[in-house]
Structure formats: C-alpha cells, structure tokens
Amino acid sequence: MATIEELIVEGKKKVHSTHAKMLLADLLDKNPLELLLHLDEEVTPEIEQHYYEQIQKLANQQPLQYVIGNVNFYGNTFIVNPSVLIPRFETEELVENTLNFIEYYFPQKDLKIIDLGTGSGCIGITLKKKLPTAQVTLVDISKEALTVAKENANLLDVEVTCVESDFWENITDRYHIVISNPPYLKTQEEVEKIVVQNEPHLALFAGEEGLDGYQKILSDIKDHLEDQYLVAFEIGFEQGDILKSMFQTIFTDALITVKKDLQGRDRMIFALKKKA
C-alpha cells in the first residue's frame, strides 16, 4: 500500500501541490496540515484509487469544489455539484452586510426572507442559521439546483421553503428581506475557462449588459415587499452606478447604498425602507 507522502508526490506531478494535499486530506477526513504529521501512514487501495481519479478530474480542469463535492461558506459546509454555482467569498460579504442591516433595523423576530436564484441555498440557509425564527423561502428555476438546496438544508438542519420559480413567477407572498446573487455577467464577458466550462451558464450570464436578472426581479418587486424592507443584491463590479440609478427610480422612499467588497470594488447594492 502507498503512503500519504507517496500519494502527495504523485499527485503533485499533475496538479498544484496545495490541491493534491486538499484532495487527500478530504478523503482521509484530516486537515491538510495534519498530513505532514502522518506522511508514513499507509492508505487503503480504495482511497488510493479514488484519490487518483480525483487528481485526474482536477488535471482535466474540473473545479476543486466540484471534485470534492462541497465548499465552506460562512462557516458551514455546503454540497455543490455542476448544477449550482460555486459560492464565492464575495457572497459571504453580501450575507455579512445583510445581517448587519437586519440586526440594526429589523429587531422583530418574525422576518420573512426570500432568496431568489438560490442555487446551493448558501445565502438563504446561512440567514436561517443565523436567524432561526425567520421564515426563509429559497427560489430557483432549476429543479436540479433546488435538489441541492434541499439537501443542504437537511444536512444543516434548517427548515426552509423551496419553490421552483423563475424569480417571482410562482411567488405570491410579501417579504421583509429580498436577497439575491443573480446571474450578472455579460453574454460576451471574458470569464476564466475553468468557470465557463464547468459552472451552470444559467447562473452566470444575464444578457448583453448582464442586467437581465436584475430587471426581472425589479419589474415585480414592489408587489412582494412588506412596508419595511431590505433589498440586497450582489452585483458586478462595473454595475454599481447603473443599478443605483435603477434602484432610485423604483425605491423612491428607500435609502440606496452601494457597498464595496474587500478588494475595493462595487459588489453589493441595498435598498432599505425604514419603519415610518
């Protein structure tokens, strides 16, 4: 049987050293740093075979998160597969800022929250974990994505409502919090090859200007807002000005805020209607 060190050495011949260690650590249920303390430990033939299969998938330009089958988001492990977008750190920032708004402006416990285009469910499920008394609805047009979201809700032991819908199409209720990371890439936008070849285009691209998703959501949004509300969107780094203008036209009685990510780029937009 091969040792941990031998497998890492072989894996590094095809993929980045860090990825080789992360794959093996995941298979052995260890922290990657722990591997260094167990280099002489032998690995079963079954794990060895699985490891080499995963190494080959990485070598074939499949994302690490899909190969492993999960990703850490806001401190929780979410299942991901090619039916859903891989959650990014910028989306964690959207959640963090939204929670800050809620804590300050929405002290009530019976909040109704809707996550439009939920994908893996990472946004809505994280909010439910942090706000256990809230009613959270996850919406996606993709049956396959909703299957992943339901599985994540079960694994993380939260009760949410899942609805198959093209944004508002099958939604009749009103909400205090409307949150979304919709597709916002332009049709012709240059995207990393590993992203465009693996992640669902439905969750990435939104027309020539990358605005189709926002326009769909905003066209009917006023019919789905409570008197006090927060609308929170992740946005493309070049979309801050145009979306702020769109928001100001629609949410005439709300405070509009564009926030930057940790890299200093426009990444989130919020519309807050305070209590009268």
Side-chain angles (χ1 to χ4, degrees):
M1 292 191 292
T3 66
I4 286 176
E5 183 175 20
E6 289 169 341
L7 291 185
I8 292 174
V9 169
E10 288 301 311
K12 286 162 57 177
K13 293 177 181 178
K14 288 193 171 185
V15 302
H16 193 280
S17 171
T18 301
H19 287 176
K21 293 172 188 172
M22 288 177 68
L23 281 180
L24 190 53
D26 182 72
L27 288 172
L28 296 173
D29 196 24
K30 296 181 186 293
N31 183 292
L33 293 176
E34 283 184 77
L35 296 183
L36 301 178
L37 304 176
H38 301 272
L39 291 176
D40 294 331
E41 184 178 307
E42 292 185 332
V43 175
T44 66
E46 291 78 14
I47 287 182
E48 180 180 354
Q49 180 181 349
H50 196 184
Y51 174 71
Y52 284 132
E53 288 172 353
Q54 290 191 331
I55 287 290
Q56 190 56 51
K57 288 179 180 178
L58 275 188
N60 291 337
Q61 293 296 299
Q62 292 186 33
L64 176 68
Q65 296 90 337
Y66 288 160
V67 175
I68 290 177
N70 63 69
V71 64
N72 184 283
F73 182 87
Y74 215 83
N76 293 300
T77 299
F78 284 83
I79 293 169
V80 291
N81 64 33
S83 298
V84 299
L85 202 67
I86 297 169
R88 266 75 169 179
F89 182 71
E90 291 86 353
T91 308
E92 290 184 307
E93 294 185 64
L94 174 69
V95 169
E96 176 74 13
N97 279 274
T98 298
L99 286 168
N100 290 339
F101 272 109
I102 291 172
E103 180 181 6
Y104 195 83
Y105 293 105
F106 296 84
Q108 63 266 43
K109 301 297 182 184
D110 57 345
L111 287 178
K112 294 174 67 177
I113 300 172
I114 189 165
D115 173 12
L116 296 169
T118 192
S120 65
C122 63
I123 294 175
I125 291 171
T126 300
L127 292 177
K128 179 66 175 178
K129 293 282 284 186
K130 292 293 183 179
L131 306 164
T133 59
Q135 299 177 46
V136 176
T137 299
L138 309 181
V139 175
D140 208 287
I141 194 173
S142 164
K143 282 188 177 72
E144 294 78 12
L146 281 179
T147 297
V148 176
K150 290 174 185 176
E151 193 169 355
N152 280 322
N154 289 334
L155 286 173
L156 293 169
D157 195 27
V158 297
E159 187 175 331
V160 295
T161 300
C162 293
V163 181
E164 184 184 337
S165 178
D166 186 3
F167 296 126
W168 299 116
E169 188 175 46
N170 298 322
I171 303 297
T172 58
D173 220 339
R174 291 179 177 269
Y175 299 87
H176 300 96
I177 313 295
V178 176
I179 190 166
S180 183
N181 176 21
Y184 55 72
L185 297 180
K186 299 175 184 178
T187 305
Q188 300 301 322
E189 193 162 335
E190 287 189 20
V191 185
E192 285 183 279
K193 191 175 180 181
I194 193 170
V195 173
V196 76
Q197 288 186 345
N198 290 280
E199 299 191 54
H201 287 197
L202 191 64
L204 291 169
F205 297 100
E208 287 188 13
E209 300 302 321
L211 298 172
D212 289 5
Y214 300 115
Q215 290 167 339
K216 272 190 174 184
I217 296 173
L218 294 174
S219 63
D220 295 318
I221 196 168
K222 295 299 284 285
D223 296 331
H224 298 282
L225 295 174
E226 293 282 5
D227 291 338
Q228 183 191 11
Y229 61 80
L230 175 70
V231 177
F233 289 166
E234 184 172 324
I235 65 175
F237 70 94
E238 296 179 319
Q239 295 174 324
D241 289 342
I242 189 168
L243 282 171
K244 185 174 183 179
S245 178
M246 290 167 66
F247 268 46
Q248 287 171 334
T249 300
I250 295 167
F251 306 112
T252 55
D253 54 356
L255 173 67
I256 312 300
T257 307
V258 175
K259 284 186 173 286
K260 297 184 183 298
D261 59 24
L262 291 180
Q263 297 185 49
R265 301 174 301 187
D266 288 349
R267 185 58 65 187
M268 296 152 274
I269 188 167
F270 300 90
L272 172 69
K273 172 66 186 305
K274 302 177 188 177
K275 278 188 176 179

